[in-house]
Amino acid sequence: MMKRKKNLVEDSATLITLSDQPEQTYGSVETCVTPQENKNVFSDGVTRIDFVLVWEESVNPLKSAELDELSSGSSRDTHRKWRTEFLSRLRAAGLHQEMKEVVQGKTKTTYVLLSAPWNVLCYYAEEISLRVPLQVVTIPISNWSENILEKLHIPNMMAQDVPNLPPDYYTCQFRSNKLERFLGHENKDTFFKTTQRHQILYEILARTPYGSLKRGEVGVARLVSEKVLTAAFPLHEGPFDIPKTLDPQSLNMRQILHHYWARWACWRKYQPLDHIREYFGEKIALYFAWLGFYTGWLLPAAVVGFIIFLFGIWLMVTDVPAEELCSSRNAFVMCPLCNICSYWNLSSICYTYKAGLLFDNGGTVFFSIFMSLWAVTFLEYWKRTSSILSHRWDCSEFEDVEERPRPEFTALAPMTVRNPVTGTEEPYFPETQRLSRTLTGNMVVILMISMVLIFLIGIILYRSILSIIIYRSHNSFFIFSAGRIASLTGSMLNLLVILLLSRLYTYLAQILTRWEMHRTQTKYEDAFILKVFIFQFVNFYSSPVYIAFFKGRFVGYPGNYDTLLGIRNEDCGSSGCLIELAQELLVIMVGKQVISNIQEFVLPKLKTWWHRRKLKPAPSQEVIDEPDTSPEISPWESNYQLLVCEGLFDEYLEMVLQFGFITIFVAACPLAPLFALINNWVEVRLDAQKFVCVYRRPVVERAQDIGIWLTILQFISYLAVISNAFLIAFTSDFLPRLFYRYTAGSMSGYINFTLAVAPADFTQSQTSCRYRGLRDEKGQHTQDYFHLLAIRLSFVIIFEHVVLMIGRIIDWMVPDIPEEVEIKIKREHYMAKEALAENQSLSKTVLEEVEKQTFELRRRMQSPTNSISSSSSPSPEHEDKPPP
């Protein structure tokens, strides 16, 4: 494999020779919209707009003169030079351009409309391996819930008749010399879908240089980040609101998605995934498919969790130890919770102890096992669903065969290397350099994780100090609730720190991942996601992990308390650590969901209002090069008023963190799946409204699956088994209660069993006090403590092995790819080979020639003395067949 130094000389040669005038036969719209209704065209009314570039400039002549006098090489001049060079190179690449200039007050907004002619589309479609149709698939599309309800003759409330369903095709990679083999090749205007045209335009824009290649001055994304351009986007297909008199069949795709998907009234309907894929592409469609699938699977988890919660309410009334505690009066005098605190009666926490039974009862053991198996089964069935969708949407071989290098990587890679399989020269970045950059990025990740742990220690100290301050206030009401106040405010402060650090690190991770120079978009996103998830995992879960497994474990005993920085270590509250863990989960999980939903609902509306206010035309608005303008706003102006699409990373991260909360710590909060279900019902519609109504149309991205998020979900599901095993064994009261019932025969006297007597030298008076623990009067662990420790460790091993073994059985029983999908894939491979063969008659001729030679060979073997001469025409040279 030879490596060659990449030629950094900038090539300005014209790629394709074109006429100056656009093709008059070019420019149609979606099949559901007539040409008269389409406004996404040039001034000639025919040439179709594929992409729009926008920038803003000041039109104040005095201000411009002052800037020019200050510095001839100002950033304004540099930006103008870069724009001119960029547009010139786009013209050399064959793109048609039309410029619109709109003056609004002191600002001139320039819109450059771009269109790709047929020959440019064909060249780049083959370059980036676009897939085009061979034959319509006639098999109807259905889902499992629809089939079950139909067999049971139950009306399907989730079904809806969505118009203009995009047809499904057998497809293969586009080849210009095989054009006549593809469906729809007769019509050049509609052969490539709108989303495919956007892909081609973005590929050109992303790899076109505007300055020095050594300085990385390449691509439209860099121009936008440098504020040379203010926006670059494809256009939406008309408005999203629907006139009341319009026939549903004549709606554009955006109107269909708004009416049948983005409205709140559609909360109980199936998502129109094929329409979403047709309009936004496979990557966004896969996210909504996963989100809908996950939300549907949350329903049984929420029902079971709610039943467990009702069981906890029943225990509050019937639990024997709870009745003993509440009726104990002054029987159990507890030792002070801090150095300046006073003695207190255990009966004072009656209601708090009963509230703890809502989350700490025998039902949580069953629910932990249920959720662990639920997570494994959910992921296995998602793999099946993902394989079905990826094949239906022509992405099943995307990462292995079709994915091209990132345009930024192609432009900035320092050398090229010959591909040993295809023999073509491909951009290459040395692995040693990437390794050193990756290690540097990992050091930054470790540094940020250390910062999170420092903040965690700070919050622990904050809770301890706040408790001391409250006890010194001599206010009886606050003193009684000192522990709860410190715990609750600490949770809220922790949430604030989490959100602030998340913003900082996400921005930092983007810079690091871009610097690492990953070849494909999939590898780039996987590296970025992994960096951020590791940090966010520690950021969000460090506090719950501390409360669940470390708080109250290193306290010591009266007269010999352990300290941290001179402050006595935190102990669990009077009602145990599990209720504190439940409180922490509810504050972080539900609090983050509420804040996120408010941000997703309110902030886009505020941003849109402010953006439109800035772009509102002044009374003296002047439009250049448009003498016959109408008051109606143009499509490129209305689209520019929308917000930039922020991508799917934050959406996935929010859901994956939620998945961790409802699996890793589910033993502490059975209601977590219910809160997650309610949140996700809202989340689907909020995200749909953002993409349809609030965001500019994103450039289509293809994807084979949800990427590294699936690996992260599998890691969380395995971690949940171990976490719940330790949570039940060491944090919950389940095993101590079980042990006491087995040894004592009943639960009577359980409270006294869990309390130890403080050493005699601790109390100054004759009154002895009690504290939680299995110790004798000298502070040494009792024999029951070691018996219980053995039971706890045995439970962890048995729980972990049994649940993981059942999970592996489920994994083995549920194949990742359904049999019918495997058959469809083989059928598509066969059809692709047939379609890309030279011609059917040639294949038949070759087959007949082979049979003839075989027959002659048999005759020779039977009659070796006979001289048999046979002439055969040379076999035709076949062109290389691209992979289907």
Side-chain angles (χ1 to χ4, degrees), residues 127-129 173 283 395 397-406 419 426 519-526 701-704:
E127 174 76 10
I128 64 177
S129 303
Q173 292 182 13
K283 191 171 186 177
C395 298
E397 298 177 340
F398 173 68
E399 293 179 11
D400 297 331
V401 178
E402 302 171 30
E403 189 170 20
R404 303 288 299 170
R406 296 169 59 235
N419 189 314
E426 292 185 353
R519 180 177 178 273
T520 64
Q521 186 67 20
T522 299
K523 291 182 179 178
Y524 170 85
E525 291 181 354
D526 288 351
E701 292 184 64
R702 301 193 71 205
Q704 185 170 327

PDB file of all heavy atoms in Angstrom, residues 127-129 173 283 395 397-406 419 426 519-526 701-704:
ATOM      1  N   GLU A 127     -20.116   9.513  -7.690  1.00  0.00           N
ATOM      2  CA  GLU A 127     -18.981   9.755  -6.810  1.00  0.00           C
ATOM      3  C   GLU A 127     -19.294   9.395  -5.363  1.00  0.00           C
ATOM      4  O   GLU A 127     -18.466   8.805  -4.658  1.00  0.00           O
ATOM      5  CB  GLU A 127     -18.574  11.225  -6.912  1.00  0.00           C
ATOM      6  CG  GLU A 127     -17.497  11.669  -5.945  1.00  0.00           C
ATOM      7  CD  GLU A 127     -16.108  11.215  -6.351  1.00  0.00           C
ATOM      8  OE1 GLU A 127     -15.951  10.705  -7.487  1.00  0.00           O
ATOM      9  OE2 GLU A 127     -15.194  11.355  -5.535  1.00  0.00           O
ATOM     10  N   ILE A 128     -20.504   9.746  -4.871  1.00  0.00           N
ATOM     11  CA  ILE A 128     -20.847   9.510  -3.462  1.00  0.00           C
ATOM     12  C   ILE A 128     -21.741   8.286  -3.289  1.00  0.00           C
ATOM     13  O   ILE A 128     -22.313   8.079  -2.220  1.00  0.00           O
ATOM     14  CB  ILE A 128     -21.515  10.750  -2.836  1.00  0.00           C
ATOM     15  CG1 ILE A 128     -22.859  11.058  -3.506  1.00  0.00           C
ATOM     16  CG2 ILE A 128     -20.609  11.950  -2.899  1.00  0.00           C
ATOM     17  CD1 ILE A 128     -23.597  12.226  -2.867  1.00  0.00           C
ATOM     18  N   SER A 129     -21.890   7.498  -4.343  1.00  0.00           N
ATOM     19  CA  SER A 129     -22.567   6.188  -4.277  1.00  0.00           C
ATOM     20  C   SER A 129     -24.037   6.313  -3.861  1.00  0.00           C
ATOM     21  O   SER A 129     -24.502   5.595  -2.974  1.00  0.00           O
ATOM     22  CB  SER A 129     -21.835   5.251  -3.309  1.00  0.00           C
ATOM     23  OG  SER A 129     -20.495   5.092  -3.674  1.00  0.00           O
ATOM     24  N   GLN A 173     -26.484   0.980  -6.458  1.00  0.00           N
ATOM     25  CA  GLN A 173     -25.723   2.213  -6.622  1.00  0.00           C
ATOM     26  C   GLN A 173     -25.838   2.733  -8.042  1.00  0.00           C
ATOM     27  O   GLN A 173     -25.882   1.971  -9.008  1.00  0.00           O
ATOM     28  CB  GLN A 173     -24.253   1.981  -6.269  1.00  0.00           C
ATOM     29  CG  GLN A 173     -24.017   1.715  -4.790  1.00  0.00           C
ATOM     30  CD  GLN A 173     -22.548   1.528  -4.463  1.00  0.00           C
ATOM     31  OE1 GLN A 173     -21.695   1.832  -5.281  1.00  0.00           O
ATOM     32  NE2 GLN A 173     -22.258   1.042  -3.272  1.00  0.00           N
ATOM     33  N   LYS A 283     -31.094   9.199   8.777  1.00  0.00           N
ATOM     34  CA  LYS A 283     -30.542   9.399  10.111  1.00  0.00           C
ATOM     35  C   LYS A 283     -31.591   9.946  11.075  1.00  0.00           C
ATOM     36  O   LYS A 283     -31.751   9.448  12.191  1.00  0.00           O
ATOM     37  CB  LYS A 283     -29.346  10.350  10.037  1.00  0.00           C
ATOM     38  CG  LYS A 283     -28.546  10.429  11.315  1.00  0.00           C
ATOM     39  CD  LYS A 283     -27.269  11.211  11.085  1.00  0.00           C
ATOM     40  CE  LYS A 283     -26.387  11.164  12.314  1.00  0.00           C
ATOM     41  NZ  LYS A 283     -25.111  11.865  12.102  1.00  0.00           N
ATOM     42  N   CYS A 395     -30.065   1.139   3.563  1.00  0.00           N
ATOM     43  CA  CYS A 395     -28.875   1.513   4.344  1.00  0.00           C
ATOM     44  C   CYS A 395     -28.193   0.315   4.987  1.00  0.00           C
ATOM     45  O   CYS A 395     -27.310   0.494   5.826  1.00  0.00           O
ATOM     46  CB  CYS A 395     -29.267   2.498   5.457  1.00  0.00           C
ATOM     47  SG  CYS A 395     -29.937   4.040   4.860  1.00  0.00           S
ATOM     48  N   GLU A 397     -26.038  -1.750   4.036  1.00  0.00           N
ATOM     49  CA  GLU A 397     -24.614  -1.919   3.744  1.00  0.00           C
ATOM     50  C   GLU A 397     -23.899  -0.579   3.701  1.00  0.00           C
ATOM     51  O   GLU A 397     -22.814  -0.461   3.134  1.00  0.00           O
ATOM     52  CB  GLU A 397     -24.425  -2.657   2.414  1.00  0.00           C
ATOM     53  CG  GLU A 397     -25.012  -4.061   2.412  1.00  0.00           C
ATOM     54  CD  GLU A 397     -24.857  -4.730   1.058  1.00  0.00           C
ATOM     55  OE1 GLU A 397     -24.664  -3.993   0.065  1.00  0.00           O
ATOM     56  OE2 GLU A 397     -24.930  -5.958   0.997  1.00  0.00           O
ATOM     57  N   PHE A 398     -24.486   0.424   4.320  1.00  0.00           N
ATOM     58  CA  PHE A 398     -23.962   1.782   4.178  1.00  0.00           C
ATOM     59  C   PHE A 398     -22.559   1.925   4.765  1.00  0.00           C
ATOM     60  O   PHE A 398     -21.642   2.401   4.108  1.00  0.00           O
ATOM     61  CB  PHE A 398     -24.925   2.771   4.844  1.00  0.00           C
ATOM     62  CG  PHE A 398     -24.407   4.178   4.901  1.00  0.00           C
ATOM     63  CD1 PHE A 398     -24.267   4.909   3.738  1.00  0.00           C
ATOM     64  CD2 PHE A 398     -24.052   4.757   6.102  1.00  0.00           C
ATOM     65  CE1 PHE A 398     -23.788   6.207   3.763  1.00  0.00           C
ATOM     66  CE2 PHE A 398     -23.564   6.053   6.151  1.00  0.00           C
ATOM     67  CZ  PHE A 398     -23.432   6.779   4.976  1.00  0.00           C
ATOM     68  N   GLU A 399     -22.363   1.491   6.016  1.00  0.00           N
ATOM     69  CA  GLU A 399     -21.081   1.703   6.684  1.00  0.00           C
ATOM     70  C   GLU A 399     -19.968   0.847   6.084  1.00  0.00           C
ATOM     71  O   GLU A 399     -18.817   1.281   5.992  1.00  0.00           O
ATOM     72  CB  GLU A 399     -21.209   1.416   8.183  1.00  0.00           C
ATOM     73  CG  GLU A 399     -22.105   2.411   8.914  1.00  0.00           C
ATOM     74  CD  GLU A 399     -22.220   2.085  10.391  1.00  0.00           C
ATOM     75  OE1 GLU A 399     -21.449   1.228  10.875  1.00  0.00           O
ATOM     76  OE2 GLU A 399     -23.078   2.675  11.064  1.00  0.00           O
ATOM     77  N   ASP A 400     -20.292  -0.374   5.644  1.00  0.00           N
ATOM     78  CA  ASP A 400     -19.262  -1.289   5.157  1.00  0.00           C
ATOM     79  C   ASP A 400     -18.864  -1.015   3.714  1.00  0.00           C
ATOM     80  O   ASP A 400     -17.704  -1.197   3.340  1.00  0.00           O
ATOM     81  CB  ASP A 400     -19.750  -2.738   5.278  1.00  0.00           C
ATOM     82  CG  ASP A 400     -20.004  -3.140   6.723  1.00  0.00           C
ATOM     83  OD1 ASP A 400     -19.329  -2.578   7.599  1.00  0.00           O
ATOM     84  OD2 ASP A 400     -20.876  -3.988   6.967  1.00  0.00           O
ATOM     85  N   VAL A 401     -19.832  -0.594   2.881  1.00  0.00           N
ATOM     86  CA  VAL A 401     -19.580  -0.511   1.443  1.00  0.00           C
ATOM     87  C   VAL A 401     -19.689   0.914   0.906  1.00  0.00           C
ATOM     88  O   VAL A 401     -18.823   1.379   0.167  1.00  0.00           O
ATOM     89  CB  VAL A 401     -20.570  -1.434   0.680  1.00  0.00           C
ATOM     90  CG1 VAL A 401     -20.343  -1.325  -0.820  1.00  0.00           C
ATOM     91  CG2 VAL A 401     -20.417  -2.868   1.149  1.00  0.00           C
ATOM     92  N   GLU A 402     -20.734   1.623   1.306  1.00  0.00           N
ATOM     93  CA  GLU A 402     -21.097   2.845   0.608  1.00  0.00           C
ATOM     94  C   GLU A 402     -20.541   4.121   1.225  1.00  0.00           C
ATOM     95  O   GLU A 402     -20.424   5.134   0.533  1.00  0.00           O
ATOM     96  CB  GLU A 402     -22.634   2.970   0.532  1.00  0.00           C
ATOM     97  CG  GLU A 402     -23.305   1.811  -0.153  1.00  0.00           C
ATOM     98  CD  GLU A 402     -24.821   1.882  -0.004  1.00  0.00           C
ATOM     99  OE1 GLU A 402     -25.349   3.005   0.080  1.00  0.00           O
ATOM    100  OE2 GLU A 402     -25.463   0.832   0.050  1.00  0.00           O
ATOM    101  N   GLU A 403     -20.237   4.116   2.527  1.00  0.00           N
ATOM    102  CA  GLU A 403     -19.901   5.378   3.171  1.00  0.00           C
ATOM    103  C   GLU A 403     -18.595   5.938   2.630  1.00  0.00           C
ATOM    104  O   GLU A 403     -17.581   5.253   2.565  1.00  0.00           O
ATOM    105  CB  GLU A 403     -19.809   5.212   4.689  1.00  0.00           C
ATOM    106  CG  GLU A 403     -19.687   6.530   5.407  1.00  0.00           C
ATOM    107  CD  GLU A 403     -19.836   6.400   6.912  1.00  0.00           C
ATOM    108  OE1 GLU A 403     -19.660   5.294   7.429  1.00  0.00           O
ATOM    109  OE2 GLU A 403     -20.133   7.413   7.558  1.00  0.00           O
ATOM    110  N   ARG A 404     -18.646   7.210   2.245  1.00  0.00           N
ATOM    111  CA  ARG A 404     -17.505   7.903   1.699  1.00  0.00           C
ATOM    112  C   ARG A 404     -16.767   8.680   2.789  1.00  0.00           C
ATOM    113  O   ARG A 404     -17.325   8.942   3.852  1.00  0.00           O
ATOM    114  CB  ARG A 404     -17.975   8.885   0.612  1.00  0.00           C
ATOM    115  CG  ARG A 404     -18.762   8.243  -0.502  1.00  0.00           C
ATOM    116  CD  ARG A 404     -17.896   7.424  -1.404  1.00  0.00           C
ATOM    117  NE  ARG A 404     -16.878   8.241  -2.040  1.00  0.00           N
ATOM    118  CZ  ARG A 404     -15.854   7.756  -2.739  1.00  0.00           C
ATOM    119  NH1 ARG A 404     -15.695   6.463  -2.868  1.00  0.00           N
ATOM    120  NH2 ARG A 404     -14.980   8.571  -3.295  1.00  0.00           N
ATOM    121  N   PRO A 405     -15.516   9.064   2.555  1.00  0.00           N
ATOM    122  CA  PRO A 405     -14.823   9.913   3.538  1.00  0.00           C
ATOM    123  C   PRO A 405     -15.551  11.245   3.727  1.00  0.00           C
ATOM    124  O   PRO A 405     -16.213  11.739   2.808  1.00  0.00           O
ATOM    125  CB  PRO A 405     -13.443  10.124   2.902  1.00  0.00           C
ATOM    126  CG  PRO A 405     -13.271   8.988   1.959  1.00  0.00           C
ATOM    127  CD  PRO A 405     -14.636   8.660   1.451  1.00  0.00           C
ATOM    128  N   ARG A 406     -15.423  11.808   4.914  1.00  0.00           N
ATOM    129  CA  ARG A 406     -16.008  13.121   5.176  1.00  0.00           C
ATOM    130  C   ARG A 406     -15.410  14.140   4.211  1.00  0.00           C
ATOM    131  O   ARG A 406     -14.210  14.118   3.939  1.00  0.00           O
ATOM    132  CB  ARG A 406     -15.734  13.562   6.616  1.00  0.00           C
ATOM    133  CG  ARG A 406     -16.360  12.694   7.657  1.00  0.00           C
ATOM    134  CD  ARG A 406     -15.857  13.007   9.048  1.00  0.00           C
ATOM    135  NE  ARG A 406     -16.123  14.396   9.414  1.00  0.00           N
ATOM    136  CZ  ARG A 406     -15.198  15.245   9.817  1.00  0.00           C
ATOM    137  NH1 ARG A 406     -13.933  14.873   9.881  1.00  0.00           N
ATOM    138  NH2 ARG A 406     -15.518  16.460  10.148  1.00  0.00           N
ATOM    139  N   ASN A 419      -6.104   2.354  -2.454  1.00  0.00           N
ATOM    140  CA  ASN A 419      -6.958   1.346  -1.841  1.00  0.00           C
ATOM    141  C   ASN A 419      -6.608  -0.019  -2.428  1.00  0.00           C
ATOM    142  O   ASN A 419      -6.674  -0.207  -3.646  1.00  0.00           O
ATOM    143  CB  ASN A 419      -8.432   1.677  -2.103  1.00  0.00           C
ATOM    144  CG  ASN A 419      -9.379   0.802  -1.309  1.00  0.00           C
ATOM    145  OD1 ASN A 419      -9.218  -0.405  -1.254  1.00  0.00           O
ATOM    146  ND2 ASN A 419     -10.373   1.417  -0.699  1.00  0.00           N
ATOM    147  N   GLU A 426      -7.146   7.326  -2.394  1.00  0.00           N
ATOM    148  CA  GLU A 426      -8.051   7.856  -1.384  1.00  0.00           C
ATOM    149  C   GLU A 426      -7.274   8.718  -0.388  1.00  0.00           C
ATOM    150  O   GLU A 426      -6.091   8.460  -0.141  1.00  0.00           O
ATOM    151  CB  GLU A 426      -8.745   6.714  -0.629  1.00  0.00           C
ATOM    152  CG  GLU A 426      -9.718   5.922  -1.482  1.00  0.00           C
ATOM    153  CD  GLU A 426     -10.472   4.879  -0.659  1.00  0.00           C
ATOM    154  OE1 GLU A 426     -10.121   4.698   0.525  1.00  0.00           O
ATOM    155  OE2 GLU A 426     -11.388   4.258  -1.205  1.00  0.00           O
ATOM    156  N   ARG A 519     -11.940   9.610   9.467  1.00  0.00           N
ATOM    157  CA  ARG A 519     -12.142   9.487   8.027  1.00  0.00           C
ATOM    158  C   ARG A 519     -13.613   9.641   7.616  1.00  0.00           C
ATOM    159  O   ARG A 519     -13.928  10.386   6.706  1.00  0.00           O
ATOM    160  CB  ARG A 519     -11.603   8.135   7.546  1.00  0.00           C
ATOM    161  CG  ARG A 519     -11.751   7.900   6.055  1.00  0.00           C
ATOM    162  CD  ARG A 519     -11.132   6.574   5.639  1.00  0.00           C
ATOM    163  NE  ARG A 519     -11.309   6.327   4.220  1.00  0.00           N
ATOM    164  CZ  ARG A 519     -12.377   5.740   3.701  1.00  0.00           C
ATOM    165  NH1 ARG A 519     -13.353   5.329   4.498  1.00  0.00           N
ATOM    166  NH2 ARG A 519     -12.480   5.558   2.399  1.00  0.00           N
ATOM    167  N   THR A 520     -14.502   8.909   8.263  1.00  0.00           N
ATOM    168  CA  THR A 520     -15.912   8.929   7.865  1.00  0.00           C
ATOM    169  C   THR A 520     -16.744   9.665   8.912  1.00  0.00           C
ATOM    170  O   THR A 520     -16.322   9.849  10.054  1.00  0.00           O
ATOM    171  CB  THR A 520     -16.463   7.502   7.691  1.00  0.00           C
ATOM    172  OG1 THR A 520     -16.418   6.827   8.962  1.00  0.00           O
ATOM    173  CG2 THR A 520     -15.653   6.728   6.672  1.00  0.00           C
ATOM    174  N   GLN A 521     -17.931  10.054   8.493  1.00  0.00           N
ATOM    175  CA  GLN A 521     -18.831  10.752   9.414  1.00  0.00           C
ATOM    176  C   GLN A 521     -19.246   9.844  10.562  1.00  0.00           C
ATOM    177  O   GLN A 521     -19.389  10.300  11.706  1.00  0.00           O
ATOM    178  CB  GLN A 521     -20.078  11.239   8.651  1.00  0.00           C
ATOM    179  CG  GLN A 521     -21.032  12.097   9.463  1.00  0.00           C
ATOM    180  CD  GLN A 521     -20.439  13.441   9.851  1.00  0.00           C
ATOM    181  OE1 GLN A 521     -19.476  13.896   9.235  1.00  0.00           O
ATOM    182  NE2 GLN A 521     -20.999  14.065  10.871  1.00  0.00           N
ATOM    183  N   THR A 522     -19.421   8.562  10.295  1.00  0.00           N
ATOM    184  CA  THR A 522     -19.792   7.618  11.356  1.00  0.00           C
ATOM    185  C   THR A 522     -18.701   7.530  12.418  1.00  0.00           C
ATOM    186  O   THR A 522     -18.985   7.582  13.619  1.00  0.00           O
ATOM    187  CB  THR A 522     -20.059   6.225  10.759  1.00  0.00           C
ATOM    188  OG1 THR A 522     -21.143   6.320   9.829  1.00  0.00           O
ATOM    189  CG2 THR A 522     -20.431   5.234  11.841  1.00  0.00           C
ATOM    190  N   LYS A 523     -17.434   7.418  11.989  1.00  0.00           N
ATOM    191  CA  LYS A 523     -16.342   7.346  12.957  1.00  0.00           C
ATOM    192  C   LYS A 523     -16.190   8.659  13.714  1.00  0.00           C
ATOM    193  O   LYS A 523     -15.890   8.665  14.916  1.00  0.00           O
ATOM    194  CB  LYS A 523     -15.034   6.994  12.244  1.00  0.00           C
ATOM    195  CG  LYS A 523     -14.990   5.571  11.702  1.00  0.00           C
ATOM    196  CD  LYS A 523     -13.655   5.268  11.046  1.00  0.00           C
ATOM    197  CE  LYS A 523     -13.609   3.825  10.531  1.00  0.00           C
ATOM    198  NZ  LYS A 523     -12.327   3.530   9.854  1.00  0.00           N
ATOM    199  N   TYR A 524     -16.386   9.761  13.025  1.00  0.00           N
ATOM    200  CA  TYR A 524     -16.311  11.070  13.675  1.00  0.00           C
ATOM    201  C   TYR A 524     -17.362  11.188  14.777  1.00  0.00           C
ATOM    202  O   TYR A 524     -17.069  11.579  15.913  1.00  0.00           O
ATOM    203  CB  TYR A 524     -16.506  12.171  12.630  1.00  0.00           C
ATOM    204  CG  TYR A 524     -16.676  13.557  13.204  1.00  0.00           C
ATOM    205  CD1 TYR A 524     -15.579  14.346  13.526  1.00  0.00           C
ATOM    206  CD2 TYR A 524     -17.947  14.070  13.422  1.00  0.00           C
ATOM    207  CE1 TYR A 524     -15.741  15.615  14.053  1.00  0.00           C
ATOM    208  CE2 TYR A 524     -18.123  15.337  13.957  1.00  0.00           C
ATOM    209  CZ  TYR A 524     -17.011  16.107  14.260  1.00  0.00           C
ATOM    210  OH  TYR A 524     -17.183  17.359  14.790  1.00  0.00           O
ATOM    211  N   GLU A 525     -18.596  10.815  14.446  1.00  0.00           N
ATOM    212  CA  GLU A 525     -19.674  10.929  15.425  1.00  0.00           C
ATOM    213  C   GLU A 525     -19.495   9.937  16.569  1.00  0.00           C
ATOM    214  O   GLU A 525     -19.784  10.272  17.731  1.00  0.00           O
ATOM    215  CB  GLU A 525     -21.018  10.711  14.734  1.00  0.00           C
ATOM    216  CG  GLU A 525     -21.380  11.845  13.789  1.00  0.00           C
ATOM    217  CD  GLU A 525     -22.718  11.638  13.119  1.00  0.00           C
ATOM    218  OE1 GLU A 525     -23.305  10.546  13.321  1.00  0.00           O
ATOM    219  OE2 GLU A 525     -23.188  12.535  12.411  1.00  0.00           O
ATOM    220  N   ASP A 526     -19.026   8.729  16.265  1.00  0.00           N
ATOM    221  CA  ASP A 526     -18.799   7.752  17.335  1.00  0.00           C
ATOM    222  C   ASP A 526     -17.757   8.252  18.327  1.00  0.00           C
ATOM    223  O   ASP A 526     -17.914   8.096  19.549  1.00  0.00           O
ATOM    224  CB  ASP A 526     -18.365   6.406  16.733  1.00  0.00           C
ATOM    225  CG  ASP A 526     -19.512   5.686  16.032  1.00  0.00           C
ATOM    226  OD1 ASP A 526     -20.665   6.143  16.171  1.00  0.00           O
ATOM    227  OD2 ASP A 526     -19.255   4.685  15.352  1.00  0.00           O
ATOM    228  N   GLU A 701     -28.734  13.088   5.924  1.00  0.00           N
ATOM    229  CA  GLU A 701     -27.593  12.222   6.235  1.00  0.00           C
ATOM    230  C   GLU A 701     -28.085  10.790   6.287  1.00  0.00           C
ATOM    231  O   GLU A 701     -29.120  10.502   6.876  1.00  0.00           O
ATOM    232  CB  GLU A 701     -26.971  12.602   7.580  1.00  0.00           C
ATOM    233  CG  GLU A 701     -26.284  13.948   7.598  1.00  0.00           C
ATOM    234  CD  GLU A 701     -25.601  14.211   8.929  1.00  0.00           C
ATOM    235  OE1 GLU A 701     -24.659  13.476   9.266  1.00  0.00           O
ATOM    236  OE2 GLU A 701     -26.024  15.137   9.636  1.00  0.00           O
ATOM    237  N   ARG A 702     -27.303   9.899   5.685  1.00  0.00           N
ATOM    238  CA  ARG A 702     -27.656   8.488   5.713  1.00  0.00           C
ATOM    239  C   ARG A 702     -27.033   7.837   6.930  1.00  0.00           C
ATOM    240  O   ARG A 702     -26.007   8.285   7.454  1.00  0.00           O
ATOM    241  CB  ARG A 702     -27.193   7.796   4.439  1.00  0.00           C
ATOM    242  CG  ARG A 702     -27.787   8.402   3.169  1.00  0.00           C
ATOM    243  CD  ARG A 702     -27.554   7.509   1.989  1.00  0.00           C
ATOM    244  NE  ARG A 702     -28.375   6.315   2.088  1.00  0.00           N
ATOM    245  CZ  ARG A 702     -28.076   5.157   1.500  1.00  0.00           C
ATOM    246  NH1 ARG A 702     -26.974   5.032   0.809  1.00  0.00           N
ATOM    247  NH2 ARG A 702     -28.878   4.116   1.621  1.00  0.00           N
ATOM    248  N   ALA A 703     -27.635   6.761   7.400  1.00  0.00           N
ATOM    249  CA  ALA A 703     -27.120   6.018   8.550  1.00  0.00           C
ATOM    250  C   ALA A 703     -27.652   4.603   8.480  1.00  0.00           C
ATOM    251  O   ALA A 703     -28.766   4.356   7.990  1.00  0.00           O
ATOM    252  CB  ALA A 703     -27.540   6.680   9.858  1.00  0.00           C
ATOM    253  N   GLN A 704     -26.849   3.667   8.947  1.00  0.00           N
ATOM    254  CA  GLN A 704     -27.244   2.256   8.942  1.00  0.00           C
ATOM    255  C   GLN A 704     -28.018   1.886  10.197  1.00  0.00           C
ATOM    256  O   GLN A 704     -28.883   1.019  10.171  1.00  0.00           O
ATOM    257  CB  GLN A 704     -25.999   1.384   8.812  1.00  0.00           C
ATOM    258  CG  GLN A 704     -26.272  -0.098   8.678  1.00  0.00           C
ATOM    259  CD  GLN A 704     -25.018  -0.870   8.320  1.00  0.00           C
ATOM    260  OE1 GLN A 704     -24.144  -0.368   7.619  1.00  0.00           O
ATOM    261  NE2 GLN A 704     -24.926  -2.102   8.801  1.00  0.00           N
TER     262      GLN A 704
END
